[in-house]
């Protein structure tokens, strides 16, 4: 069965520091992978997606993620964090078939220190 | 493009009451998804529609839950005889039915509190 693990429940970084949020997935075939961000009281916003091709994908708000098949990982990175990046981040994998069903990790809460 | 909207944003109800939520997807999207998110967890898939057809339901969707999308546009999710365990955020998302069906746009959610 497909699954997503986000090992870090809570991360705190200083403003201006670099960020890496970890995501590991379990899926038999080439996965479709996503990162979403959720701010308090808001719905989920798609940051970036990987379907195929270049394993380094660029997203909105200066985020990028790298797909590493050998490590079953899809880690999210940002070189310099802004206070407005404080939110909850979810990694997701597309389920089998073409249902569009997304399987989410439990999320990582990012806190940004001034 | 006005995005996905959900109504109400918050609902407080007493155990045993019925509640109904509405989702209006992005107009050109033919797929509509419902997810449930409990505190500290990621969203969990409940069900999805392509046009008016309900194509898959999760085991999470007990007999007390029913979803409809009568004309392939808006959808409703009804919970009968609510229980405290139903307290959660109910999220709706929409997409196209091709590879980008995984590229879903989410609404703000309906937060349900069952007292």
């Amino acid at each position: 069965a497909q699954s997503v693990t986000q090992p870090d429940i809570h991360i705190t970084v200083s403003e201006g520091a670099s960020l890496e949020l970890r995501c590991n997935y379990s899926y038999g075939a080439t996965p479709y992978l996503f990162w979403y961000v959720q701010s308090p009281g808001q719905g989920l916003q798609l940051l970036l997606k990987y379907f195929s091709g270049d394993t380094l994908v660029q997203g909105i708000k200066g985020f990028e993620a790298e797909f590493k098949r050998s490590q079953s990982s899809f880690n999210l990175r940002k070189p310099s964090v802004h206070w407005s990046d404080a939110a909850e981040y979810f990694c997701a994998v597309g389920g089998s078939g073409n249902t569009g069903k997304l399987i989410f990790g439990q999320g990582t809460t990012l806190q940004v220190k001034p | 493009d006005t995005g996905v909207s959900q109504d109400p944003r918050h609902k407080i109800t007493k155990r045993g009451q019925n509640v109904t939520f509405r989702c209006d997807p992005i107009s050109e999207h033919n797929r509509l998804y419902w997810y449930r998110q409990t505190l500290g967890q990621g969203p969990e898939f409940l069900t999805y529609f392509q046009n008016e057809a309900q194509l898959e339901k999760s085991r999470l969707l007990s007999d007390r839950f029913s979803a409809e999308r009568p004309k392939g546009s808006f959808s409703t999710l009804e919970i009968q005889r609510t229980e405290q365990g139903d307290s959660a955020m109910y999220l709706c998302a929409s997409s196209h039915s091709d590879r980008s069906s995984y590229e879903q746009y989410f609404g703000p959610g309906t937060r349900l509190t069952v007292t």
Side-chain angles (χ1 to χ4, degrees):
Chain A
Q2 299 103 23
S3 66
V4 176
T5 301
Q6 294 179 246
D8 305 306
I9 295 174
H10 195 110
I11 282 184
T12 300
V13 300
S14 297
E15 189 169 17
S18 63
L19 171 70
E20 182 169 28
L21 302 182
R22 295 184 292 164
C23 172
N24 294 98
Y25 67 89
S26 172
Y27 189 72
T30 300
Y32 296 158
L33 293 162
F34 307 82
W35 275 98
Y36 282 85
V37 61
Q38 186 176 37
S39 299
Q42 304 296 314
L44 281 81
Q45 181 182 21
L46 180 65
L47 283 176
L48 48 77
K49 60 186 182 288
Y50 171 79
F51 286 149
S52 64
D54 194 346
T55 56
L56 184 64
V57 293
Q58 302 297 320
I60 62 171
K61 304 185 179 186
F63 286 93
E64 66 177 27
E66 186 171 12
F67 169 59
K68 292 185 177 180
R69 183 189 301 277
S70 61
Q71 298 178 20
S72 297
S73 69
F74 188 58
N75 294 348
L76 181 72
R77 300 193 294 247
K78 187 170 184 177
S80 178
V81 169
H82 188 263
W83 64 265
S84 60
D85 293 325
E88 191 153 21
Y89 292 80
F90 293 96
C91 181
V93 64
S96 59
N98 188 31
T99 64
K101 180 170 65 176
L102 293 173
I103 298 162
F104 287 85
Q106 71 177 90
T108 297
T109 301
L110 173 65
Q111 185 177 4
V112 180
K113 292 190 302 185
Chain B
D1 182 351
T2 58
V4 179
S5 61
Q6 293 187 245
D7 184 69
R9 294 290 304 275
H10 303 273
K11 178 71 176 178
I12 300 174
T13 191
K14 293 184 177 180
R15 188 177 55 177
Q17 297 295 304
N18 299 343
V19 294
T20 300
F21 310 140
R22 177 181 170 121
C23 171
D24 287 89
I26 293 171
S27 57
E28 62 266 30
H29 286 176
N30 62 344
R31 282 197 173 177
L32 187 149
Y33 300 81
W34 286 99
Y35 292 83
R36 181 171 69 187
Q37 185 180 20
T38 53
L39 205 59
Q41 300 296 318
E44 295 174 294
F45 169 81
L46 292 179
T47 187
Y48 87 99
F49 294 83
Q50 180 162 315
N51 301 313
E52 65 275 10
Q54 188 174 18
L55 298 186
E56 185 172 341
K57 294 194 294 185
S58 164
R59 291 171 299 153
L60 294 174
L61 216 61
S62 75
D63 291 345
R64 296 184 297 106
F65 288 71
S66 62
E68 294 182 343
R69 195 182 183 199
K71 296 184 179 179
S73 57
F74 73 91
S75 174
T76 58
L77 177 67
E78 181 183 16
I79 309 174
Q80 297 182 327
R81 305 180 304 281
T82 52
E83 302 172 357
Q84 288 188 322
D86 297 331
S87 294
M89 176 78 85
Y90 290 84
L91 296 168
C92 176
S94 69
S95 71
H96 283 290
S97 62
D98 54 16
R99 185 181 74 175
S100 61
S101 63
Y102 291 100
E103 190 170 334
Q104 295 171 23
Y105 294 84
F106 282 80
T110 295
R111 181 167 296 284
L112 173 66
T113 302
V114 182
T115 61

